[in-house]
Amino acid sequence: MEVERIRIAGVPVDIIRPEHMEEALFELLASSGTKQIVFLSVWNLLKARHNTEYRLCLENASLILPVSKSVINGAVFLKKAKPVRYNPFSALISFFTILETRYRSLYLLGGHKSSLIESERNVHATFPGLHIVGRYTGYFSKETEKDILEAIFKSNPSMVLLADGIPSGVTWPYMRRNSFGSSIFVYYKDALSIFSKRKKRVPNEVFNAGHEIWHEIIANPLKIFLVFPFIWYIIVLVWDRIYSKA
């Protein structure tokens, strides 16, 4: 598998070219145990520095794909190999396309009933060769979770897409990794909202320019305060660069 793992501010980040993704996915599917692909933003990178559970999740992830331009710039600033930046929704489309070529399977988990049903309908229409072997809404109780774990284990889908309503989000499959077969888990909170057309995806030109944060601030003005953790990120990068030369 053509993957190089580097560290930015002590946090693992993977470098993989899009043309190698098909080979990587099928290599993962051929291996045993629970696998996970993580989309890493700069905010999650900072979270991993102080959240032990999240950090362990990343350390054990099969692929860690950077989604923030700041993560890419951080690697360049630290004079490391430059990672490829992925748009989470576009990456999902790529995953589904790859899995469909060999008639693999998918399980949908998350969202409310209406968005889940509509998402399933739209995914099936777009990827008819991708078998949806199960689905369940998010925001479920601990009692219900036992049934969900059993359903995923029995159906053993090629990929499980996790969206909004999953307790603890990214770390949910990692903390329950011994309850599954050999599935690949991918968490993207907005996935079902976008697939059901209840939320618009960030335009490609905005994402490619690294300006998606402004869309988030417009939707939630309080996110303007993310400037403070971003300043801390810059300080950490400068410190790491100085320390690495010492």
Side-chain angles (χ1 to χ4, degrees), residues 33-34 149 153 172-181 185:
T34 302
L149 295 176
F153 176 78
W172 187 83
Y174 171 69
M175 298 305 292
R176 295 154 182 81
R177 59 194 179 281
N178 294 326
S179 299
F180 307 116
F185 287 78

Side-chain angles (χ1 to χ4, degrees), residues 130-142:
L130 182 60
H131 303 290
I132 300 178
V133 295
R135 81 289 303 153
Y136 205 92
T137 57
Y139 309 98
F140 45 79
S141 65
K142 289 185 178 180

Side-chain angles (χ1 to χ4, degrees), residues 5-244:
R5 178 159 291 189
I6 63 173
R7 291 184 178 273
I8 300 174
V11 177
V13 177
D14 288 329
I15 303 174
I16 178 171
R17 305 292 306 175
E19 57 267 26
H20 296 146
M21 189 60 72
E22 180 173 358
E23 178 186 359
L25 282 185
F26 288 123
E27 281 191 21
L28 290 179
L29 287 172
S31 61
S32 60
T34 302
K35 281 83 61 173
Q36 189 169 5
I37 298 176
V38 177
F39 295 124
L40 185 73
S41 69
V42 64
W43 318 118
N44 289 334
L45 185 151
L46 289 171
K47 177 181 178 180
R49 287 176 53 84
H50 62 80
N51 185 308
T52 302
E53 182 178 292
Y54 191 83
R55 177 62 173 267
L56 286 173
C57 176
L58 290 185
E59 294 289 353
N60 289 277
S62 303
L63 283 176
I64 304 169
L65 306 180
V67 301
S68 295
K69 195 170 184 179
S70 298
V71 176
I72 309 302
N73 292 339
V76 173
F77 177 77
L78 295 174
K79 298 184 178 181
K80 296 178 181 288
K82 184 177 181 180
V84 176
R85 182 171 175 240
Y86 283 84
N87 181 319
F89 189 76
S90 297
L92 283 179
I93 297 300
S94 176
F95 297 161
F96 293 173
T97 301
I98 291 169
L99 294 176
E100 186 186 30
T101 62
R102 300 192 192 179
Y103 302 98
R104 296 302 181 114
S105 57
L106 176 70
Y107 193 104
L108 301 175
L109 181 59
H112 295 285
K113 185 176 181 180
S114 56
S115 63
L116 180 62
I117 292 173
E118 190 64 30
S119 293
E120 181 181 5
R121 184 182 297 117
N122 291 336
V123 170
H124 178 71
T126 307
F127 307 95
L130 182 60
H131 303 290
I132 300 178
V133 295
R135 81 289 303 153
Y136 205 92
T137 57
Y139 309 98
F140 45 79
S141 65
K142 289 185 178 180
E143 292 73 21
T144 302
E145 181 177 281
K146 296 177 182 178
D147 296 330
I148 295 173
L149 295 176
E150 184 178 358
I152 295 175
F153 176 78
K154 288 183 175 179
S155 59
N156 196 28
S158 303
M159 181 170 285
V160 180
L161 174 60
L162 307 173
D164 56 310
I166 304 301
S168 72
V170 173
T171 60
W172 187 83
Y174 171 69
M175 298 305 292
R176 295 154 182 81
R177 59 194 179 281
N178 294 326
S179 299
F180 307 116
S182 57
S183 303
I184 299 173
F185 287 78
V186 183
Y187 174 78
Y188 179 41
K189 182 180 179 181
D190 295 332
L192 297 182
S193 297
I194 297 175
F195 277 123
S196 63
K197 299 181 181 179
R198 284 169 166 73
K199 185 173 184 176
K200 292 183 178 180
R201 58 178 297 193
V202 176
N204 287 334
E205 59 272 18
V206 174
F207 181 84
N208 292 337
H211 295 159
E212 66 274 14
I213 184 61
W214 297 111
H215 278 242
E216 296 181 27
I217 291 174
I218 291 173
N220 182 2
L222 290 177
K223 287 196 173 184
I224 191 68
F225 292 105
L226 287 174
V227 66
F228 297 111
F230 184 73
I231 291 173
W232 175 246
Y233 175 63
I234 294 175
I235 293 172
V236 169
L237 290 178
V238 172
W239 175 261
D240 277 12
R241 181 163 172 175
I242 293 173
Y243 181 79
S244 65

